[in-house]
Amino acid sequence: MDKSTTEEINIKKKIAAGVSIFSNSFLIFLKIVVGIISGSISIISEALHSLVDLAASFIAFFSVLKSSEPADDDHPFGHGKYEDLAGFIEALLIIITALYIVYIAAEKLIKLGIEHHFETDLGIIIMLFSCILNFGVSKYLFHTAKKTDSIALQTDAEHLSMDVYSSAAILLGLFAVKFTGLYILDPIFAIIVAAIILRTGLSLTKKAANNLLDGALPTADKEEIKTVLNDFKERGLMGVKSVKTSKSGSKRVIQLTIFLPCKMTLLDGHTLCDEIEKSIAERFENVSVIIHAEPNCISGNREKCGLCKEPANINAFIGKK
């Protein structure tokens, strides 16, 4: 990936994170004001959810800034892990928020046990507006996250996506209270919202932790790598000892140990490795490929290495496209 493309991706990430911060700040202000005026525990819980969304947006923004920095002596493989760390922290914030909402809603149910009167009309208007705004912003963030392969932006988008569902649930709850007069439905719907949020938080925590702990790439990616290697079997690749993969932010890291003909020249082996790296780079954006080549004889397949018997046929293993 050339420098101009990398800079373009980083700019897109920063703009998306900035949009998220602005939209969350605006919604938090509205929800807190309306929650206090109306006295609705579900709206106040949604305001808390949005407050966590804002914190997540700031974390995503600064992680994007940090991860865009070039590799240095202290971080020779780049700063991509900052995005993974940000995604993990954001996911933990989601879980904490969900548990806190359950706590305050349950407390309201236990202490009140009776109808809790509050104004529903203003809450309905704000929740409807919140659904529409968060839907648009989350779609934009999902699109940018997919284009830039940013887990920080994806987690931020998941935050807002869940905000849409939670706001919709609260909206339905407010309608139910308005038309049935059962005000105790308010904290009950708040607990439903918390369950939705908790499920998302657990899922995102698992994904972010996988990257932080250098978990392997998805099966689909590993199959793509296998396909590339199979294409080089007729051009000198005699076997694959190991394929190790991981992810750092949006960058995929692939380490290969391969077997080449034992008497292939260093130049020819280097050229073949370059071609394998180029072919993998054509399949994946933002990828780092490290290849270690070993002579086929040490793999225990000396009898299958034609070069051991026919040194003159070196070029036959290299081939041409």
Side-chain angles (χ1 to χ4, degrees), residues 203-218:
S203 175
L204 291 174
T205 301
K206 181 179 179 180
K207 182 173 183 179
N210 182 68
N211 287 355
L212 277 174
L213 299 174
D214 288 326
L217 293 177

Side-chain angles (χ1 to χ4, degrees), residues 143-160:
H143 175 75
T144 306
K146 184 176 180 180
K147 287 287 186 181
T148 61
D149 200 14
S150 169
I151 189 172
L153 288 182
Q154 182 187 350
T155 307
D156 202 9
E158 292 284 0
H159 270 276
L160 294 182

Side-chain angles (χ1 to χ4, degrees), residues 56-72:
S57 296
F58 273 110
I59 292 172
F61 182 74
F62 287 111
S63 72
V64 164
L65 290 179
K66 191 66 178 178
S67 65
S68 64
E69 294 180 3
D72 53 32

